[in-house]
Amino acid sequence: MQEVIIANQEQIKSSEKQLELATLKFDAGAIAESEVFKIKSQKASEELNLLTNQNNLTDNFVALKQLMNMPLEKEIVLVKPILLLDQKVTLDEDPYALAKKAVEINPAYSM
């Protein structure tokens, strides 16, 4: 969710630049005012998405703290794990062969 919020912020910055450019073009008579309004509308939608995602992140932190019986004012820092592939698994294998190997290793995976 934090990555989505960062992406939303970057998109808003991009829309601000588009709005500046559109305003200059409108002032020069190169585009219609409706184009400026479209970009303003797009920027407003992106700001709404950012606020929605920030609220969702806050809600998720509150829910996590409640599940962990932590005080709500205590800060939680999430760390993205470093995931490494098992050296025994090759990505160019047939997916069915990979599933068959998984069942051989752990028969509980069979359906």
Side-chain angles (χ1 to χ4, degrees), residues 17-103:
K17 290 177 184 176
Q18 285 180 344
L19 182 58
E20 288 176 23
L21 183 61
T23 303
L24 290 174
K25 286 183 177 181
F26 171 71
D27 291 341
I31 62 171
E33 190 175 19
S34 63
E35 294 300 317
V36 176
F37 289 138
K38 284 180 188 177
I39 295 172
K40 284 183 180 181
S41 172
Q42 176 185 344
K43 183 176 175 275
S45 295
E46 291 164 357
E47 289 171 346
L48 175 63
N49 286 339
L50 174 63
L51 289 173
T52 301
N53 288 330
Q54 287 172 333
N55 287 339
N56 288 341
L57 180 63
T58 301
D59 289 345
N60 290 341
F61 273 125
V62 168
L64 181 61
K65 289 175 186 179
Q66 288 174 338
L67 287 171
M68 297 173 64
N69 291 323
M70 292 177 62
L72 294 179
E73 58 275 354
K74 186 162 182 161
E75 186 175 340
I76 294 178
V77 177
L78 300 179
V79 179
K80 187 175 182 179
I82 299 172
L83 302 175
L84 300 174
L85 290 176
D86 188 350
Q87 298 299 326
K88 297 176 187 174
V89 177
T90 57
L91 296 177
D92 57 338
E93 280 188 52
D94 173 28
Y96 297 110
L98 189 61
K100 184 177 178 183
K101 187 183 290 185
V103 170

